[in-house]
Amino acid sequence: MKNSDNEPEKTEVEVFERVNRLKIKSGGSEDSPDGVISAEAIEEADQSITEMCTDCPDLVNKSLQNLTSTWAEMKENTSPEKRKELAQKMFTDAHEIKDLSGMCGYTLISEFAESLRDYILETTLTVDAQRIIVQAHIDAIQIVHREDIRDDGGPLAQELKLAVQKAIKQHK
Amino acid sequence: MSVFQNNEAPTHDLSNITVLLVEDSQSMQSLLSSMLRAFGIGEVLACSGGKEAINLLTITQARKKGSDIHSIDMIVTDWLMPEGSGVELIDWIRSHDDDDIRFMPIILISAYTTEKVIITARDHGANETLVKPLSGQKLAKRVTSVINTPRPFIKTPTFFGPDRRRQTMVFAGDDRRKTKAEELKVHNEKL
Protein backbone atom coordinates (compact mmCIF):
# COMPACT_ATOMS: atom_id res chain seq x y z
CA MET A 1 0.00 0.00 0.00
CA LYS A 2 1.42 3.41 -0.96
CA ASN A 3 0.87 6.29 1.51
CA SER A 4 1.77 9.06 -0.91
CA ASP A 5 3.76 9.44 -4.10
CA ASN A 6 6.99 10.10 -2.21
CA GLU A 7 6.77 7.52 0.54
CA PRO A 8 8.04 3.96 0.08
CA GLU A 9 5.54 1.11 -0.02
CA LYS A 10 4.64 -0.03 3.48
CA THR A 11 4.17 -3.66 4.42
CA GLU A 12 1.32 -4.36 6.78
CA VAL A 13 2.63 -6.54 9.56
CA GLU A 14 0.57 -8.05 12.35
CA VAL A 15 2.04 -9.77 15.40
CA PHE A 16 0.07 -12.34 17.38
CA GLU A 17 1.27 -12.88 20.94
CA ARG A 18 -0.49 -16.05 22.04
CA VAL A 19 -1.10 -17.60 25.43
CA ASN A 20 1.21 -20.60 25.79
CA ARG A 21 -1.50 -23.25 26.07
CA LEU A 22 0.92 -26.12 25.54
CA LYS A 23 3.02 -25.12 28.54
CA ILE A 24 -0.08 -24.78 30.69
CA LYS A 25 -1.34 -28.16 29.49
CA SER A 26 2.08 -29.63 30.28
CA GLY A 27 1.76 -28.78 33.97
CA GLY A 28 3.40 -25.36 33.93
CA SER A 29 2.31 -21.77 33.75
CA GLU A 30 3.41 -19.01 31.42
CA ASP A 31 5.89 -17.76 34.02
CA SER A 32 7.15 -21.10 35.30
CA PRO A 33 10.68 -22.28 34.40
CA ASP A 34 11.10 -24.18 31.17
CA GLY A 35 10.36 -27.87 31.52
CA VAL A 36 12.34 -30.79 30.16
CA ILE A 37 11.74 -34.30 28.92
CA SER A 38 13.52 -36.64 31.30
CA ALA A 39 16.71 -38.47 30.32
CA GLU A 40 14.91 -41.76 31.08
CA ALA A 41 12.14 -40.92 28.61
CA ILE A 42 14.70 -40.03 25.94
CA GLU A 43 16.52 -43.29 26.60
CA GLU A 44 13.24 -45.17 26.24
CA ALA A 45 12.61 -43.43 22.91
CA ASP A 46 16.08 -44.43 21.73
CA GLN A 47 15.29 -48.00 22.79
CA SER A 48 12.37 -47.95 20.32
CA ILE A 49 14.86 -47.12 17.56
CA THR A 50 17.15 -49.98 18.65
CA GLU A 51 14.23 -52.41 18.63
CA MET A 52 13.12 -51.32 15.18
CA CYS A 53 16.66 -51.71 13.84
CA THR A 54 16.80 -55.28 15.14
CA ASP A 55 13.85 -56.03 12.86
CA CYS A 56 15.20 -53.86 10.03
CA PRO A 57 16.45 -56.66 7.71
CA ASP A 58 13.07 -58.45 7.90
CA LEU A 59 11.12 -55.24 7.38
CA VAL A 60 13.28 -54.24 4.41
CA ASN A 61 12.88 -57.75 2.98
CA LYS A 62 9.09 -57.44 3.16
CA SER A 63 9.08 -54.06 1.40
CA LEU A 64 11.56 -55.34 -1.17
CA GLN A 65 9.29 -58.29 -1.97
CA ASN A 66 6.37 -55.89 -2.39
CA LEU A 67 8.49 -53.67 -4.61
CA THR A 68 9.62 -56.50 -6.91
CA SER A 69 6.14 -58.00 -7.27
CA THR A 70 4.62 -54.57 -8.03
CA TRP A 71 7.38 -53.96 -10.57
CA ALA A 72 6.64 -57.33 -12.23
CA GLU A 73 2.97 -56.39 -12.45
CA MET A 74 3.87 -52.95 -13.80
CA LYS A 75 5.91 -54.43 -16.64
CA GLU A 76 2.91 -56.51 -17.78
CA ASN A 77 0.36 -53.71 -17.51
CA THR A 78 -0.52 -51.15 -20.17
CA SER A 79 -3.44 -49.31 -18.58
CA PRO A 80 -2.30 -45.77 -17.68
CA GLU A 81 -4.58 -45.65 -14.64
CA LYS A 82 -3.36 -48.98 -13.33
CA ARG A 83 0.26 -47.99 -13.98
CA LYS A 84 -0.24 -44.81 -11.99
CA GLU A 85 -1.61 -46.82 -9.09
CA LEU A 86 1.29 -49.27 -9.28
CA ALA A 87 3.84 -46.45 -9.49
CA GLN A 88 2.34 -45.07 -6.29
CA LYS A 89 2.83 -48.44 -4.59
CA MET A 90 6.41 -48.63 -5.80
CA PHE A 91 7.05 -45.11 -4.52
CA THR A 92 5.71 -46.10 -1.10
CA ASP A 93 7.85 -49.24 -0.89
CA ALA A 94 11.01 -47.46 -2.06
CA HIS A 95 10.32 -44.69 0.46
CA GLU A 96 9.83 -47.26 3.22
CA ILE A 97 13.09 -49.05 2.35
CA LYS A 98 14.93 -45.74 2.24
CA ASP A 99 13.62 -44.59 5.63
CA LEU A 100 14.12 -47.90 7.40
CA SER A 101 17.59 -48.65 6.11
CA GLY A 102 18.75 -45.06 6.55
CA MET A 103 17.49 -45.04 10.13
CA CYS A 104 19.33 -48.23 10.96
CA GLY A 105 22.68 -47.42 9.35
CA TYR A 106 22.31 -49.30 6.05
CA THR A 107 23.42 -46.27 4.10
CA LEU A 108 24.01 -47.90 0.71
CA ILE A 109 20.59 -49.54 0.43
CA SER A 110 19.05 -46.27 1.62
CA GLU A 111 20.90 -44.37 -1.10
CA PHE A 112 19.67 -46.72 -3.87
CA ALA A 113 16.10 -46.68 -2.52
CA GLU A 114 16.08 -42.87 -2.35
CA SER A 115 17.38 -42.63 -5.90
CA LEU A 116 14.68 -45.06 -7.09
CA ARG A 117 11.94 -43.24 -5.16
CA ASP A 118 12.91 -39.87 -6.63
CA TYR A 119 13.13 -41.39 -10.12
CA ILE A 120 9.62 -42.85 -9.80
CA LEU A 121 8.37 -39.37 -8.87
CA GLU A 122 9.71 -37.82 -12.05
CA THR A 123 8.83 -40.46 -14.62
CA THR A 124 5.93 -42.41 -16.09
CA LEU A 125 7.83 -45.73 -16.20
CA THR A 126 6.43 -46.50 -19.65
CA VAL A 127 9.51 -46.12 -21.82
CA ASP A 128 11.95 -49.05 -22.10
CA ALA A 129 14.89 -46.84 -21.13
CA GLN A 130 13.12 -45.88 -17.90
CA ARG A 131 12.51 -49.54 -17.18
CA ILE A 132 16.23 -50.27 -17.44
CA ILE A 133 16.98 -47.61 -14.85
CA VAL A 134 14.34 -48.93 -12.45
CA GLN A 135 15.56 -52.51 -12.93
CA ALA A 136 19.16 -51.44 -12.22
CA HIS A 137 18.04 -49.88 -8.94
CA ILE A 138 16.01 -52.92 -7.88
CA ASP A 139 18.87 -55.30 -8.75
CA ALA A 140 21.28 -53.19 -6.72
CA ILE A 141 18.95 -53.07 -3.70
CA GLN A 142 18.45 -56.85 -3.85
CA ILE A 143 22.19 -57.54 -3.95
CA VAL A 144 23.00 -55.12 -1.14
CA HIS A 145 20.25 -56.63 0.99
CA ARG A 146 21.28 -60.24 0.23
CA GLU A 147 24.96 -59.54 0.92
CA ASP A 148 24.11 -57.50 4.04
CA ILE A 149 26.27 -54.55 2.98
CA ARG A 150 25.92 -51.59 5.32
CA ASP A 151 27.93 -48.77 3.80
CA ASP A 152 29.47 -47.89 0.46
CA GLY A 153 33.09 -48.53 1.36
CA GLY A 154 33.68 -52.00 -0.16
CA PRO A 155 34.51 -53.03 -3.75
CA LEU A 156 31.08 -54.63 -4.40
CA ALA A 157 29.39 -51.46 -3.16
CA GLN A 158 31.45 -49.35 -5.53
CA GLU A 159 30.71 -51.74 -8.40
CA LEU A 160 26.97 -51.54 -7.77
CA LYS A 161 27.00 -47.76 -7.53
CA LEU A 162 28.83 -47.57 -10.84
CA ALA A 163 26.33 -49.96 -12.46
CA VAL A 164 23.36 -47.83 -11.37
CA GLN A 165 25.11 -44.59 -12.37
CA LYS A 166 25.91 -46.09 -15.78
CA ALA A 167 22.28 -47.14 -16.32
CA ILE A 168 21.09 -43.65 -15.44
CA LYS A 169 23.69 -41.98 -17.65
CA GLN A 170 22.98 -44.18 -20.66
CA HIS A 171 19.20 -44.25 -20.53
CA LYS A 172 18.00 -41.06 -18.84
CA MET B 1 18.83 -25.49 25.47
CA SER B 2 19.28 -28.84 27.18
CA VAL B 3 16.48 -31.36 27.02
CA PHE B 4 17.96 -33.40 29.83
CA GLN B 5 16.60 -33.34 33.30
CA ASN B 6 18.57 -31.34 35.82
CA ASN B 7 17.97 -30.20 39.36
CA GLU B 8 16.31 -26.91 38.45
CA ALA B 9 14.09 -27.72 35.48
CA PRO B 10 10.73 -29.38 36.04
CA THR B 11 9.83 -32.39 33.92
CA HIS B 12 6.99 -31.82 31.48
CA ASP B 13 3.79 -33.72 32.18
CA LEU B 14 2.63 -34.44 28.64
CA SER B 15 -0.19 -36.79 29.60
CA ASN B 16 -2.83 -34.24 28.54
CA ILE B 17 -1.22 -33.55 25.19
CA THR B 18 -2.59 -35.00 21.95
CA VAL B 19 -0.28 -35.20 18.94
CA LEU B 20 -1.37 -35.78 15.37
CA LEU B 21 1.35 -37.80 13.66
CA VAL B 22 1.34 -37.71 9.84
CA GLU B 23 3.68 -40.27 8.30
CA ASP B 24 3.11 -42.54 5.30
CA SER B 25 5.76 -45.13 6.16
CA GLN B 26 4.17 -47.71 8.48
CA SER B 27 7.43 -48.55 10.25
CA MET B 28 8.34 -44.88 10.79
CA GLN B 29 4.80 -44.15 11.97
CA SER B 30 5.06 -46.96 14.49
CA LEU B 31 8.52 -45.81 15.61
CA LEU B 32 7.53 -42.16 16.03
CA SER B 33 4.39 -43.16 17.96
CA SER B 34 6.51 -45.21 20.36
CA MET B 35 8.99 -42.38 20.81
CA LEU B 36 6.29 -39.79 21.49
CA ARG B 37 4.59 -42.13 23.96
CA ALA B 38 7.94 -42.71 25.66
CA PHE B 39 8.02 -38.95 26.30
CA GLY B 40 4.71 -39.36 28.12
CA ILE B 41 2.46 -37.85 25.46
CA GLY B 42 -1.08 -38.88 26.34
CA GLU B 43 -2.52 -39.54 22.90
CA VAL B 44 -0.92 -40.01 19.50
CA LEU B 45 -3.33 -40.00 16.57
CA ALA B 46 -1.71 -41.31 13.41
CA CYS B 47 -2.56 -40.92 9.76
CA SER B 48 -0.66 -41.58 6.56
CA GLY B 49 -0.86 -38.41 4.51
CA GLY B 50 -1.68 -34.71 4.39
CA LYS B 51 -5.15 -35.26 2.93
CA GLU B 52 -6.11 -37.69 5.69
CA ALA B 53 -4.73 -35.26 8.29
CA ILE B 54 -6.85 -32.43 6.89
CA ASN B 55 -9.97 -34.64 7.10
CA LEU B 56 -9.12 -35.63 10.66
CA LEU B 57 -8.47 -32.04 11.75
CA THR B 58 -11.74 -30.90 10.16
CA ILE B 59 -13.77 -33.64 11.84
CA THR B 60 -12.06 -33.20 15.23
CA GLN B 61 -12.61 -29.47 15.15
CA ALA B 62 -16.28 -29.81 14.17
CA ARG B 63 -16.92 -32.34 16.94
CA LYS B 64 -15.06 -30.23 19.48
CA LYS B 65 -17.46 -27.32 19.22
CA GLY B 66 -19.55 -27.31 22.34
CA SER B 67 -18.10 -30.51 23.76
CA ASP B 68 -15.20 -31.58 25.97
CA ILE B 69 -13.57 -33.66 23.26
CA HIS B 70 -9.75 -33.67 23.26
CA SER B 71 -8.24 -31.20 20.86
CA ILE B 72 -5.12 -31.83 18.83
CA ASP B 73 -2.29 -29.85 20.42
CA MET B 74 0.61 -30.44 18.07
CA ILE B 75 1.35 -31.90 14.65
CA VAL B 76 4.40 -33.97 13.78
CA THR B 77 4.48 -34.50 10.02
CA ASP B 78 6.74 -36.05 7.43
CA TRP B 79 7.65 -33.91 4.44
CA LEU B 80 7.38 -36.21 1.44
CA MET B 81 4.19 -38.25 1.23
CA PRO B 82 2.24 -39.32 -1.85
CA GLU B 83 -1.20 -38.48 -0.41
CA GLY B 84 -0.64 -34.81 0.43
CA SER B 85 2.81 -33.58 1.44
CA GLY B 86 3.78 -32.04 4.77
CA VAL B 87 4.18 -28.63 3.15
CA GLU B 88 0.67 -28.82 1.62
CA LEU B 89 -0.67 -29.69 5.05
CA ILE B 90 1.13 -26.70 6.64
CA ASP B 91 -0.23 -24.38 3.95
CA TRP B 92 -3.76 -25.58 4.70
CA ILE B 93 -3.30 -25.18 8.46
CA ARG B 94 -1.75 -21.71 8.31
CA SER B 95 -4.48 -20.40 5.99
CA HIS B 96 -7.35 -21.78 8.09
CA ASP B 97 -9.79 -19.30 9.65
CA ASP B 98 -10.13 -21.20 12.94
CA ASP B 99 -7.52 -19.99 15.46
CA ASP B 100 -7.24 -23.45 17.06
CA ILE B 101 -6.03 -24.79 13.73
CA ARG B 102 -4.03 -21.96 12.20
CA PHE B 103 -1.84 -21.42 15.28
CA MET B 104 -1.19 -25.16 15.67
CA PRO B 105 2.46 -25.98 16.50
CA ILE B 106 4.00 -28.06 13.70
CA ILE B 107 7.19 -30.11 13.67
CA LEU B 108 8.19 -31.06 10.14
CA ILE B 109 10.37 -34.12 9.61
CA SER B 110 12.53 -34.33 6.53
CA ALA B 111 15.12 -36.72 5.16
CA TYR B 112 16.69 -33.89 3.19
CA THR B 113 19.36 -31.84 4.88
CA THR B 114 19.78 -28.99 2.45
CA GLU B 115 19.46 -25.38 3.58
CA LYS B 116 16.76 -24.91 0.93
CA VAL B 117 14.55 -27.48 2.67
CA ILE B 118 14.95 -25.80 6.05
CA ILE B 119 14.16 -22.38 4.57
CA THR B 120 11.15 -23.74 2.67
CA ALA B 121 9.77 -25.32 5.86
CA ARG B 122 10.28 -22.08 7.78
CA ASP B 123 8.71 -19.95 5.05
CA HIS B 124 5.61 -22.14 4.93
CA GLY B 125 5.17 -21.74 8.70
CA ALA B 126 6.67 -24.83 10.34
CA ASN B 127 7.66 -24.20 13.96
CA GLU B 128 10.50 -26.71 13.94
CA THR B 129 12.24 -28.91 11.39
CA LEU B 130 13.76 -32.27 12.29
CA VAL B 131 16.17 -33.88 9.86
CA LYS B 132 16.32 -37.68 9.72
CA PRO B 133 17.78 -39.96 10.99
CA LEU B 134 15.79 -39.66 14.18
CA SER B 135 17.10 -39.83 17.71
CA GLY B 136 15.39 -39.48 21.06
CA GLN B 137 17.33 -36.35 21.86
CA LYS B 138 16.60 -34.64 18.52
CA LEU B 139 12.87 -35.28 18.80
CA ALA B 140 12.76 -34.26 22.48
CA LYS B 141 14.58 -31.03 21.66
CA ARG B 142 11.96 -30.08 19.03
CA VAL B 143 9.04 -30.97 21.32
CA THR B 144 10.44 -29.00 24.28
CA SER B 145 11.24 -26.05 22.03
CA VAL B 146 7.62 -25.90 20.84
CA ILE B 147 6.39 -26.04 24.45
CA ASN B 148 8.94 -23.78 26.16
CA THR B 149 9.73 -21.15 23.58
CA PRO B 150 6.83 -20.57 21.21
CA ARG B 151 7.51 -17.60 18.96
CA PRO B 152 4.85 -14.98 18.22
CA PHE B 153 3.02 -15.45 14.94
CA ILE B 154 3.62 -12.93 12.18
CA LYS B 155 1.19 -12.05 9.43
CA THR B 156 2.30 -10.21 6.33
CA PRO B 157 0.71 -10.16 2.86
CA THR B 158 2.94 -13.10 1.90
CA PHE B 159 3.52 -15.01 5.13
CA PHE B 160 1.71 -16.35 8.14
CA GLY B 161 3.55 -18.40 10.72
CA PRO B 162 5.91 -18.35 13.70
CA ASP B 163 8.34 -15.43 13.68
CA ARG B 164 11.17 -16.42 11.37
CA ARG B 165 13.63 -14.42 13.46
CA ARG B 166 14.69 -16.58 16.37
CA GLN B 167 17.28 -14.12 17.65
CA THR B 168 15.95 -11.67 20.21
CA MET B 169 19.19 -9.84 21.00
CA VAL B 170 19.69 -6.22 20.05
CA PHE B 171 21.29 -5.77 16.65
CA ALA B 172 23.81 -2.94 16.22
CA GLY B 173 23.73 -2.62 12.41
CA ASP B 174 21.25 -0.97 10.05
CA ASP B 175 17.67 -2.07 10.53
CA ARG B 176 16.41 -3.36 7.16
CA ARG B 177 12.85 -3.96 8.37
CA LYS B 178 10.27 -2.10 6.32
CA THR B 179 7.89 -1.71 9.25
CA LYS B 180 8.99 0.08 12.42
CA ALA B 181 8.22 -1.61 15.74
CA GLU B 182 5.72 1.09 16.74
CA GLU B 183 3.84 0.60 13.47
CA LEU B 184 3.23 -3.10 14.03
CA LYS B 185 -0.31 -4.19 14.74
CA VAL B 186 0.04 -6.36 17.84
CA HIS B 187 -2.67 -8.78 18.98
CA ASN B 188 -1.97 -9.72 22.57
CA GLU B 189 -4.11 -12.63 23.65
CA LYS B 190 -5.23 -12.90 27.26
CA LEU B 191 -6.79 -15.97 28.78
Side-chain angles (χ1 to χ4, degrees):
Chain A
M1 183 197 327
K2 238 174 188 177
N3 291 334
S4 76
D5 289 343
N6 299 326
E7 284 183 33
E9 200 172 285
K10 246 182 197 172
T11 311
E12 283 180 19
V13 181
E14 292 178 64
V15 180
F16 295 83
E17 298 277 1
R18 304 272 297 165
V19 169
N20 190 346
R21 290 174 173 77
L22 266 180
K23 198 170 180 182
I24 294 165
K25 259 187 127 172
S26 306
S29 67
E30 291 227 63
D31 305 326
S32 62
D34 288 349
V36 294
I37 290 172
S38 73
E40 291 79 16
I42 293 171
E43 200 175 306
E44 197 184 325
D46 281 333
Q47 186 59 34
S48 301
I49 298 175
T50 307
E51 282 167 17
M52 191 190 80
C53 289
T54 308
D55 300 332
C56 178
D58 290 340
L59 294 167
V60 167
N61 193 44
K62 195 179 158 196
S63 292
L64 188 50
Q65 279 178 3
N66 290 341
L67 182 68
T68 47
S69 67
T70 309
W71 176 231
E73 199 181 337
M74 172 81 105
K75 284 192 282 191
E76 299 299 319
N77 215 297
T78 52
S79 153
E81 279 183 15
K82 184 69 182 170
R83 294 182 69 86
K84 196 178 167 192
E85 181 194 319
L86 294 170
Q88 184 98 324
K89 280 174 79 176
M90 285 182 69
F91 172 92
T92 303
D93 285 321
H95 188 44
E96 178 90 6
I97 293 170
K98 183 229 159 265
D99 268 352
L100 265 172
S101 49
M103 185 77 228
C104 300
Y106 292 87
T107 53
L108 184 60
I109 207 165
S110 178
E111 207 175 301
F112 285 136
E114 182 175 12
S115 174
L116 174 60
R117 180 200 67 184
D118 291 349
Y119 188 67
I120 292 168
L121 261 187
E122 66 184 50
T123 181
T124 53
L125 304 182
T126 48
V127 183
D128 280 346
Q130 295 169 341
R131 293 176 175 217
I132 292 167
I133 294 174
V134 172
Q135 192 63 56
H137 278 93
I138 293 177
D139 290 346
I141 293 170
Q142 281 176 325
I143 294 168
V144 176
H145 183 58
R146 191 181 63 221
E147 300 295 325
D148 197 27
I149 303 170
R150 272 192 176 257
D151 56 35
D152 59 357
L156 180 57
Q158 292 304 322
E159 198 181 313
L160 288 167
K161 281 179 92 168
L162 279 174
V164 172
Q165 281 164 8
K166 196 175 159 189
I168 293 172
K169 199 175 172 187
Q170 280 183 351
H171 300 286
K172 202 168 184 181
Chain B
M1 174 184 57
S2 172
V3 294
F4 293 111
Q5 193 169 13
N6 58 44
N7 291 335
E8 293 159 18
T11 305
H12 286 303
D13 173 9
L14 305 177
S15 58
N16 289 321
I17 302 290
T18 300
V19 171
L20 174 59
L21 171 62
V22 192
E23 167 64 78
D24 60 323
S25 158
Q26 287 304 308
S27 51
M28 295 306 288
Q29 193 186 94
S30 166
L31 174 65
L32 277 160
S33 288
S34 301
M35 292 174 79
L36 292 167
R37 288 200 180 95
F39 293 163
I41 284 171
E43 193 169 7
V44 181
L45 306 172
C47 60
S48 57
K51 287 178 186 167
E52 199 184 334
I54 287 169
N55 287 339
L56 194 63
L57 280 164
T58 307
I59 292 166
T60 310
Q61 212 54 26
R63 286 177 62 199
K64 210 186 91 178
K65 303 280 180 206
S67 77
D68 290 333
I69 196 166
H70 278 237
S71 59
I72 292 166
D73 301 298
M74 188 191 301
I75 292 178
V76 176
T77 180
D78 192 18
W79 178 295
L80 192 58
M81 295 174 288
E83 294 293 330
S85 73
V87 168
E88 286 166 0
L89 174 62
I90 296 174
D91 286 345
W92 181 85
I93 288 169
R94 294 292 180 241
S95 59
H96 206 278
D97 54 10
D98 186 326
D99 283 357
D100 286 348
I101 292 181
R102 72 175 176 145
F103 290 110
M104 185 88 68
I106 303 168
I107 299 172
L108 184 71
I109 299 178
S110 169
Y112 297 98
T113 54
T114 62
E115 192 185 355
K116 191 182 167 194
V117 165
I118 309 289
I119 291 170
T120 304
R122 186 198 67 180
D123 288 349
H124 280 263
N127 295 66
E128 297 288 333
T129 307
L130 197 168
V131 174
K132 288 178 188 172
L134 300 173
S135 74
Q137 193 179 349
K138 276 160 82 173
L139 184 58
K141 190 175 175 185
R142 292 343 181 259
V143 172
T144 48
S145 174
V146 160
I147 297 170
N148 290 332
T149 50
R151 285 165 280 148
F153 272 65
I154 306 294
K155 186 182 180 188
T156 74
T158 55
F159 172 77
F160 180 72
D163 192 349
R164 289 175 284 188
R165 292 187 179 92
R166 286 175 185 257
Q167 301 279 5
T168 52
M169 60 188 174
V170 178
F171 177 62
D174 291 336
D175 193 346
R176 291 178 295 157
R177 281 174 285 202
K178 290 179 183 172
T179 310
K180 292 190 176 78
E182 58 272 21
E183 292 170 349
L184 296 172
K185 191 175 175 187
V186 179
H187 306 266
N188 206 333
E189 188 195 26
K190 301 268 183 240
L191 263 184

